Amino acid sequence: MKSRIYLDHAATTPVSDAARAAVVEALALIGNPSSVHGGGRAANALLEGARDTVARFAGVAAENIVFTSGGTEAIALAANGARMAGPVRPRLLVGATEHSAMLQARDDAQVLPVDGDGLINLAALAAALAEDPALVAVQAANNETGVIQPLEKVAALVREAGGLLLVDAVQAAGKMALPDADFVALSAHKLGGPPGIGALIVRDPESLIAIQRGGGQERGHRGGTPNLPGIAGFAAAVAESHDWAAVAARRIALETRLKAGGALIHGEAAPRLPTISSIGLGGVAASTQVMMLDLDGFMVSAGAACSSGKVKSSHVLAAMGLGPAAGEAIRVSLSPATTDAEIDAFAAAWLAMAARLGRKGAA
């Protein structure tokens, strides 16, 4: 049976042993964290201990952590629950290469352009903020290209205008320092934790109102019984450390080999995460590349994972001005567990595929 090599860690990465053990241990508890009896107190102690761990990871106080069902809910909570002055939610400005979770969080968002490397146009941001203060949503690092946004410059513009900054750090968390922002979204399953759990870091809890109301959990910011096993696994995952420099070296080595065979690396002129490569093969549809590599035993994607399970042309690459090439790129994403042997095997398979499909594309 053909071996399978997983190179889609930006979609989800395997649950670590420590996180799995923490989930199993939490499942053995019988109390609801909101109950006042002994079982409830034990569950609440685990909940708040996990909150402390995630807060230390984020460099904030425990009261700044709001647990959610994942990054999508964290983004939606901030996008719809953020308030500046008064009860009216602020205007929303979003970068054109944001994750669909952000682009679809509200239907009234103003989309800001990016340059050819996917970096947000700061002049356009400044002009939009000059109209009146707004909530500005910018990823720390893009989920398809790994491009890291100039968040210090973005934050300075937002602060000067009296606005609020929401950062989607789902891909970046654990791989680079978290930004100084009003809201930061995290997701456990990108970090070696279980799926279905995430958090929103809230600088000022008074600037956020609940969207999901109910029993008053999460200090009134998010109703619903906490996912205690997920939260425990999340905390265990963020407590682990990794050698991202070694991952970056493997990514660079891979890109060097593929470029020699005709690959285009999208966003390569900008700072990028150590884990993600957006690799273009001119004239060959991304869906064809993904399927052929899958048949060869390599699991990659054509961009963000979506519920349809279909390969679509990348809105990220389209916003970067790539035209038809936006539908001709795959995403390869690594983890600290990715080996040199796996990189070598993938490079050989991609080069062989490019030799075959490239000729067809040029015919």
Side-chain angles (χ1 to χ4, degrees):
M1 185 174 179
K2 185 174 291 185
S3 62
R4 307 290 294 169
I5 294 178
Y6 186 74
L7 297 173
D8 197 19
H9 293 274
T12 193
T13 201
V15 178
S16 72
D17 291 342
R20 185 179 295 107
V23 169
V24 171
E25 183 178 348
L27 286 168
L29 291 178
I30 59 172
N32 185 312
S34 297
S35 298
V36 297
H37 51 60
R41 293 196 301 275
N44 187 65
L46 179 59
L47 170 65
E48 296 308 325
R51 193 187 310 276
D52 288 341
T53 299
V54 175
R56 284 194 297 273
F57 165 77
V60 300
E63 57 264 28
N64 299 119
I65 300 294
V66 177
F67 286 119
T68 67
S69 63
T72 297
E73 186 193 336
I75 288 168
L77 174 56
N80 293 282
R83 295 293 184 270
M84 288 190 290
V88 178
R89 69 183 185 182
R91 285 190 308 137
L92 177 61
L93 308 178
V94 302
T97 57
E98 295 298 299
H99 192 280
S100 58
M102 185 68 255
L103 293 173
Q104 297 179 29
R106 281 172 47 180
D107 59 10
D108 62 345
Q110 179 180 341
V111 179
L112 302 173
V114 298
D115 67 15
D117 285 311
L119 297 172
I120 193 162
N121 186 314
L122 295 174
L125 172 60
L129 285 169
E131 297 177 21
D132 57 68
L135 173 64
V136 177
V138 178
Q139 281 179 310
N142 188 262
N143 52 293
E144 293 190 28
T145 63
V147 167
I148 297 170
Q149 293 289 347
L151 287 179
E152 289 188 2
K153 294 179 180 179
V154 171
L157 290 173
V158 174
R159 282 196 299 269
E160 184 179 356
L164 297 172
L165 177 60
L166 162 59
V167 174
D168 168 4
V170 166
Q171 289 294 340
K175 305 172 186 73
M176 56 181 279
L178 291 176
D180 180 15
D182 298 284
F183 306 99
V184 180
L186 307 176
S187 182
H189 76 107
K190 311 291 189 179
L191 293 158
I197 186 66
L200 180 66
I201 303 170
V202 184
R203 174 187 285 163
D204 176 10
E206 296 298 317
S207 68
L208 184 72
I209 64 169
I211 301 303
Q212 179 172 304
R213 303 178 188 277
Q217 292 88 352
E218 294 303 293
R219 297 175 174 82
H221 287 114
R222 196 262 188 185
T225 300
N227 174 4
L228 192 59
I231 290 169
F234 187 7
V238 301
E240 299 184 274
S241 60
H242 302 288
D243 183 0
W244 296 111
V247 179
R250 291 189 176 96
R251 175 182 62 75
I252 293 168
L254 172 64
E255 292 175 351
T256 300
R257 288 184 63 180
L258 299 192
K259 285 196 293 184
L264 302 173
I265 307 301
H266 302 304
E268 69 173 327
R272 287 182 292 147
L273 291 179
T275 49
I276 297 177
S277 291
S278 177
I279 303 164
L281 179 57
V284 182
S287 57
T288 301
Q289 297 179 54
V290 170
M291 288 186 287
M292 290 200 69
L293 289 166
D294 189 48
L295 290 172
D296 275 345
F298 299 93
M299 291 176 274
V300 300
S301 71
C306 67
S307 61
S308 69
K310 297 178 181 178
V311 176
K312 300 179 180 179
S313 182
S314 167
H315 77 276
V316 171
L317 301 183
M320 292 164 59
L322 294 180
E328 300 170 349
I330 61 171
R331 178 185 68 184
V332 172
S333 46
L334 317 180
S335 85
T338 304
T339 66
D340 290 332
E342 290 173 335
I343 293 294
D344 289 341
F346 175 78
W350 190 93
L351 291 168
M353 176 189 71
R356 296 194 303 273
L357 298 183
R359 282 196 296 270
K360 292 179 181 178

